[in-house]
Each structure stands twice: as C-alpha cells, then as structure tokens.
Amino acid sequence: MSEPQDPDEHLAVGRPSRFAGGVPAVVQSARYALDNLGAVRGARTLLALNQTDGFDCPGCAWPDPPAGDRSHAEFCENGAKAASEENTRTLISREFWRERSIADLLTESDHWMAAQGRLAEPMVRRAGATHYEPISWDDAFAMIGDRMQALASPDEAVFYTSGRTANETAFLYQLFARQFGTNNLPDCSNMCHESSGIALSEAIGIGKGTATLQDLETAGVVIDIGHNPGTCHPRMLSALQVTRRNGGQIIAINPLDEVGLSRFQHPQQIGQVLTGRSTPIASLHLPVRINGDVAVLKGIMRAMLDAEDAAPGTVFDAKFIAQYTTGFGSFISALRAERWEVILAECGLTREQIAEAARIVMTSDRLVIAWAMGLTQSPTAVSAIQECVNLLLLRGAIGRPGCGALPVRGHSNVQGDRTMGIWETAKPEFMDALARVFHFDPPREDGYDTVAAIHAMRAGRVGVFVAMGGNFLQAAPDTERVAEGLARCGLTVHVAIKLNRSHLVTGRESLILPTIGRAERDAGPAGEQFVTVENSMGIVSMSRGRLAPASPDLMSEPRIVARMATASLGVRSTVAWGSLADDYDRVRDLIEQTIPGFDSFNQRVREPGGFALPNAPRDSRTFDTPSGRAAFTVHAIPRSRLADDQLVLMSIRSHDQFNTTVYGLDDRYRGIRGGRRVILLNRADIASRGLVAGALVDVVSHFEGEERVAPSIVVVEYEIPPRCAAMYFPEANVLVPLGSVAARSNTPTSKFVIVTIRKH
C-alpha cells in the first residue's frame, strides 16, 4: 500500500546547493503561490502568514519573533509551499470520484494525489463499494454515531490526532474520546517527540524545552544535533544567523553535512542577495555515525571532565550542581570509567574532533542544545536526550539567559495538542480536572499510543478509527502492516483538507470529512471565529483565517468534532457541544478552568503575539521531579553489532516536502532531482558491494528474523559515514519494523533500521 514502486525515470544527481535560502527560495515560494492561488490571492495569503492578525503557518512549530519584530514576509520557502498548496483554488469534483476507483487511485503517487486539489464535500465508501461517493453531512454524522454506539466497548474506538490540529479542536476531541469512555488517543507525538517528553520530564520535571528564541539568538554556543533545520525548520536559520552575528558558535552533530547548517543567505537581506554572500552557520560539523549520539555526547563531556580535573572549578558550574541537581556523583563516576576506544568506535569520530567540540562548549557559559528526530527516533532516544540534559546541567545552562534545552517540534501545534490533553496516558491530575469541570468520571486506564493502536487494529480489536488530520498510513512505520490494520476496522473516518493515501486504505466503510484550512475564514452563529496554537517554545497565540473557504460544503474542525460527539454520545453527554462549536471563546473558558497556565485565556491570547505558558525550570529553576532537583542520569553507550554486509539506515526529508506531503520531486539542497526512490550511500560501501552510483537495488530491512523490502531503489553516492545509509520518508517507512521502538517512549526507530542491499 506504499507509493508505486517503479524507479524514477528522470532522476538526476548533481552538486548540492552552496547555501540555504537566497533567491532560489524566493523563486520557489512565488511559484507555488502563483500556481496554486494566483497573484492576488497568493500575495494576500503569504502576507498574512505568521502575522499577529493573520494565521499560523500549517507547517512546522518554529516560533515567531515578538509582535513588533516581525517582517512583512514572516515565512520560509516550506511555509509558503504549505500555505499555498493547502489553499489551492483547484477542487476535486464529483466526476473525479466517479471516474476513479479506489484501486485506481492507489496506483498514483503521493505527489500526484497532493496535486489534485482540495476536498470539496463529504465522501463515503460504503461496504463493498469500489468508489467513493458523496454523502450529506447529516448522514455522515448519523453513520458515525450509529457505528460508535454499536461498539461492544469504548476501547474499540481509536482517536488519532495530527499535529496541525488547533488547541480548541484538540481540547474538544480529547473530551469527546474521554466522554465516550476511552483514552485511545494516539497522535503524531508518539512518532516524533515522545522521547523528548519522557526524557525531559524525568530529568527536569517538564516535558517541554526551556530555551526561548532570545536565548537561542544570544547563546554563546549552540549544539544542533540530529537535525536538518534548512529543510525541516528553515526559519530557524534566521535565528542561527543572529546567533553567529552576536558572536555565538554553532556545533552541528549530524551524519550528513546539511547545507542549512553550512551556509545561509537570508532572502530578505538585499546586501547578501545582490553580492552572493552568505553567512556561515556551523563552526564545526561532526559527522557522527547513525545512533552514535550517546557516544559523542559522552566524549564531549569526558573531554570537559579532563579539563575540570586539570583546573578544578573552571569548567563545571559547581554552585548550580550543588544547589539544583542530584545524581552528580554517580554520573561523574560512570563518565570517568568510559573508555575512549569505545567512545570513538561507536561515534565514528576522532578524538581531535571531539576535543575541538569540547573546547568550543567551554568557551561560553551560555549553552543551548537543540535536537529533532535524529535523536528522538533512535532505539536509545531517551538516553541520548538525557545526555543532552547532562551536558546542560554540567554548565548550569538551564534557567539562565542564553541557555536551555530546545526540542525542535515538527508540526505546527503538536506541542499544543499534548498540552490540551491529546495523550493516551491517563494523567490523574488532568482526569481530576475533567471530572470537576465536566461532571463525569473519565477513564483512568492508559489507552493506545500509535504503535499499540496499530497492533490492536491488526488484531481486530478496533471497530472505528477516527483521524483528525494527518496521513496515518504514510506517517506510521511498517506501511504494509498499518494497511492491514486499517483494513480490519469497521469504519475509518478522516477529517482532511487534501486527498492522501490513508483515505484509500479503508475499513469496511470509510468517510472523508473536508474541513477548512488555517487561512480560511471560520464564520459561525456567534460571528467570525479564531483558533489558537502553541509553538515549540511554549508561546500560545491566535490564528485567524482571512480567505473565503474553498467550497461552501466545508466545515470547521471544532464543529466536526462537536457533531461527531453529539451523534455518538447522545443524551449521556454532559457537554453542550453545539454551543461550544458556535463560539470558541466558550471552549477557551473551559480550557482555562481545566488546564494550568491558561488564566485569562481569552484576554491574553488577543494581545499581539500571545503569551508564554509557565515553564518552571526556565522561569525559576524549579524542578517537578521526585527529588525536587534536576537529575543527572547514567546511560550505557549503545554498541553496534552489524553483520559484515549490513548497514544502518535512517529516514530523511527532501527539501520539496513537509512531513508526508510531497510538493515536488526535487531535493535542491542535496542536488537530487526528478525522483525520490533513492538510497544515499558512502562511496566505499557502494564499491564493497560491487555497485556503482545509479545502480538499481532492493533495500531489505532485518528485524527479529523478519525481512521487509523496498524494491527499485536507485543508489546515490553521498558524503555519509561508512556503514550508514539514508532514504526519503515516507518511502523508507515500509522498511521500519513495527516492533522496533525506542526504549521507554515506544517511538518507532525510523532513524535506525538495519538493512542489506541486493541488486535488483
């Protein structure tokens, strides 16, 4: 059920870009806006993007500058593509559905599907049918209510959430699930930053980062590890440019030397554009082996320990450690016992490279460590992130200006969704608040996370699967097994803006419910509404659409949730769903009563730029841990055990996609054009297998005696550490075993897949 497997006929490999951003980014942004929206609508859309009186980008969760510091073009190339593609003028007609069976549509690529336009009206695939057909909203909700009420147990329903879902929708959605009687609330956090939440909660008492945008820009040293900001969070490059111009140094730790961490040309700085100059970003690049992050971090700290031993009191922040931490003695004893030969073998670096990184870290007491899915999707993700915390604690770099932990979230409101209660874990304090505010007894047993939900679907234990946005089939690991699970559901329901492959791998019955986009006006009985989002740094702000909805038959997400809840719960609900869908201020009033930190929510969120949620480690060096202190933790260095012919594969994004949405077939930054079914290999690994660049191969993953195959993949020679490989997401997902997950977070290990290469 993954993308069609014919090799790309027009694939060409050239030189990577010299810098990120610049004129090419401007040209691509303008082209997408013009093609999808037209000149006037395109300009109106982009100029409202990330403005205080406009709408929040539907792409990544990178924070906006303070209200008075925003430019007129406060967006990046990928944000422009996301907003333009989501708000295209092209609509999918009834003729489209009549002419194409579901089987026919499955033969098309994800790129083709995204290009077909907006969903225009509710669609249903009835039991045994080969095609989708239109259905009225009333009949769609009646079907949902009937199938939900027929379930033998509330736990036979699964409520999945995408990270683009706004706070008001997310709050109503989790309330619907819990009034129905289940905590089955898997979400995209389970597949991306779950490891961050667990690691940070244990170490510092909060599952969020502690660094602000100002901290990043004023840091003396920034370590960016397991992250490609040029493609995944392009606006971060503007902040890193400020860091460098303020005298800060940046260490990039990543298997690939990504162009965004090499040089950046700011598209709005005319001097750079006209002269062709660009700003160096990373002071040092460490090409670590895949899953060598614990080893390299331990190596840096071991080098710092040697310097501290040589000059006591000059490297570690002894006062902070004594007053605010616990576990330092055990940590230092374990660090001192680490052997350099193990550190170097597992990270793939030289001692000189590690010594240089340690030297840079010791030049400033203002340290920020940023990371993304290169860390969070590895088997030892929680350990790696806690090693980042250990390094911060050694320098006293939490709760001071220019310091902090920075997990860079991947989707626009994925952090806000978790704040709103989208979580399969039944937190007692949150359940108590729901019981108090809504006068019902919420379920107290943990529900399914994403991996557990897939197992339950495959076992036939899920009758109804509801997806609030996203592309579950393509985002989840082990594509064929996810497809098996979806097909065993009685009803699959997708709230969506655009067609994607998840809509075509259905339960016995399926519904597609089209919703308005972020940029579109949301008018209701109480007047025009707005929603709110929370960015990576805990800032909550408003998002108000300005465009007319693409179709008169679209419905807002809060109203869709309210209608589903009304149909499914009937008279047993204690919530006035219709009233909440009419006026989102009422939803925010209930959020204020339920969730700490949202005092005067409606008033404060109307202030330009919104407000910051409380963050005790950052604000007061207060740590909600069992000891009341930040915790040093001890972890073993993961040891690689590969057979002679095996490699470690990680998934990556191209520069022409966001998450599962593929805008085009070019990866301009890496010099790969016209195709996506490629594997990036080191020159020596290509030669040792008797291959050449351009060869067609099958990539085979190995896990607990099972094999999974991605056929017809083109070999691309690339600068990547020996015995490492990379493929694009989601094409690589078919290789990611469902059972291979990070310890303690249960996150699929998309950045650590053992593979072999076979000639096709």
Side-chain angles (χ1 to χ4, degrees), residues 95-330:
E95 288 72 25
F96 174 94
W97 299 106
R98 283 199 294 265
E99 293 170 359
R100 294 171 176 84
S101 69
I102 294 173
D104 291 337
L105 290 170
L106 279 168
T107 67
E108 303 290 354
S109 70
D110 292 339
H111 176 223
W112 181 91
M113 290 182 200
Q116 299 314 298
R118 290 284 296 273
L119 297 164
E121 61 183 328
M123 304 299 295
V124 61
R125 184 250 176 164
R126 302 190 187 277
T130 58
H131 290 64
Y132 273 103
E133 63 184 66
I135 186 174
S136 71
W137 281 105
D138 287 346
D139 288 346
F141 292 125
M143 176 184 286
I144 293 169
D146 179 70
R147 305 307 184 263
M148 293 283 280
Q149 292 175 20
L151 297 176
S153 163
D155 289 326
E156 293 181 2
V158 168
F159 298 80
Y160 174 74
T161 316
S162 158
R164 71 171 300 282
T165 307
N167 287 330
E168 292 73 14
T169 306
F171 185 78
L172 293 178
Y173 194 54
Q174 65 81 28
L175 182 60
F176 169 27
R178 289 175 168 126
Q179 285 229 322
F180 189 72
T182 186
N183 284 310
N184 289 343
L185 285 158
D187 74 321
C188 58
S189 287
N190 300 145
M191 295 184 281
C192 55
H193 267 285
E194 196 69 65
S195 302
S196 297
I198 289 174
L200 292 171
S201 294
E202 292 178 354
I204 62 173
I206 189 171
K208 302 180 181 183
T210 65
T212 67
L213 189 58
Q214 184 178 19
D215 290 330
L216 182 66
E217 294 177 345
T218 59
V221 177
V222 175
I223 298 176
D224 194 81
I225 179 168
H227 182 213
N228 175 16
T231 287
C232 300
H233 303 89
R235 286 198 298 156
M236 184 178 180
L237 297 182
S238 301
L240 293 177
Q241 183 186 59
V242 175
T243 306
R244 287 305 306 269
R245 290 178 174 176
N246 285 337
Q249 298 192 72
I250 297 166
I251 301 171
I253 304 177
N254 197 59
L256 301 178
D257 186 9
E258 303 287 13
V259 66
L261 283 168
S262 178
R263 302 190 72 88
F264 172 59
Q265 186 182 92
H266 200 305
Q268 296 181 45
Q269 293 177 2
I270 302 302
Q272 282 203 333
V273 173
L274 291 179
T275 62
R277 295 196 306 268
S278 56
T279 303
I281 298 299
S283 314
L284 175 68
H285 171 234
L286 300 180
V288 65
R289 288 180 53 183
I290 296 173
N291 204 40
D293 308 291
V294 170
V296 69
L297 289 164
K298 278 181 173 284
I300 292 170
M301 290 186 286
R302 177 60 194 271
M304 292 168 60
L305 175 58
D306 291 344
E308 173 72 11
D309 287 343
T314 63
V315 177
F316 298 161
D317 188 335
K319 183 177 180 181
F320 173 87
I321 292 168
Q323 185 173 352
Y324 293 107
T325 74
T326 185
F328 176 72
S330 298

Side-chain angles (χ1 to χ4, degrees), residues 514-749:
T515 186
I516 62 174
R518 284 265 179 92
E520 292 174 324
R521 289 195 302 272
D522 185 356
E528 200 168 291
Q529 301 297 306
F530 68 86
V531 294
T532 63
V533 294
E534 178 187 345
N535 65 37
S536 273
M537 296 180 181
I539 307 296
V540 179
S541 59
M542 67 188 302
S543 176
R544 187 192 297 273
R546 298 296 187 185
L547 303 178
S551 165
D553 213 4
L554 305 180
M555 189 176 290
S556 73
E557 287 183 344
R559 187 165 296 279
I560 291 173
V561 174
R563 292 286 302 273
M564 287 194 295
T566 299
S568 302
L569 299 171
V571 296
R572 67 188 180 97
S573 178
T574 63
V575 177
W577 295 100
S579 175
L580 298 179
D582 288 345
D583 187 348
Y584 303 166
D585 276 357
R586 296 168 185 160
V587 182
R588 288 184 281 272
D589 285 340
L590 293 172
I591 292 171
E592 178 181 338
Q593 296 175 45
T594 308
I595 303 175
F598 285 86
D599 306 310
S600 304
F601 189 5
N602 272 307
Q603 176 184 340
R604 289 195 294 159
V605 82
R606 283 175 163 86
E607 295 295 322
F611 63 93
L613 289 173
N615 188 301
R618 179 192 68 209
D619 300 339
S620 62
R621 286 186 162 177
T622 302
F623 303 97
D624 186 16
T625 62
S627 68
R629 297 181 173 208
F632 280 97
T633 51
V634 177
H635 310 281
I637 295 176
R639 306 297 291 270
S640 55
R641 294 177 175 85
L642 298 177
D644 290 344
D645 62 341
Q646 290 180 335
L647 305 166
V648 180
L649 173 80
M650 64 178 181
S651 65
I652 57 175
R653 290 186 196 168
S654 83
H655 192 62
D656 220 2
Q657 73 178 103
F658 177 73
N659 287 352
T660 59
T661 302
V662 178
Y663 304 123
L665 300 180
D666 295 343
D667 190 348
R668 184 174 80 248
Y669 284 178
R670 297 191 183 100
I672 300 170
R673 298 179 182 273
R676 296 177 50 83
R677 297 189 64 79
V678 299
I679 183 168
L680 277 54
L681 294 175
N682 178 282
R683 176 183 295 181
D685 289 323
I686 295 174
S688 68
R689 287 159 177 76
L691 300 171
V692 295
L696 198 62
V697 299
D698 297 339
V699 182
V700 184
S701 71
H702 304 270
F703 181 75
E704 295 184 348
E706 298 178 340
E707 291 187 351
R708 292 159 175 81
V709 182
S712 304
I713 305 297
V714 178
V715 171
V716 172
E717 182 183 315
Y718 208 83
E719 287 296 322
I720 188 170
R723 308 200 72 180
C724 295
M727 284 177 61
Y728 290 128
F729 161 94
E731 288 82 357
N733 286 10
V734 69
L735 298 170
V736 183
L738 186 61
S740 180
V741 295
R744 291 193 285 152
S745 71
N746 213 34
T747 297
T749 60

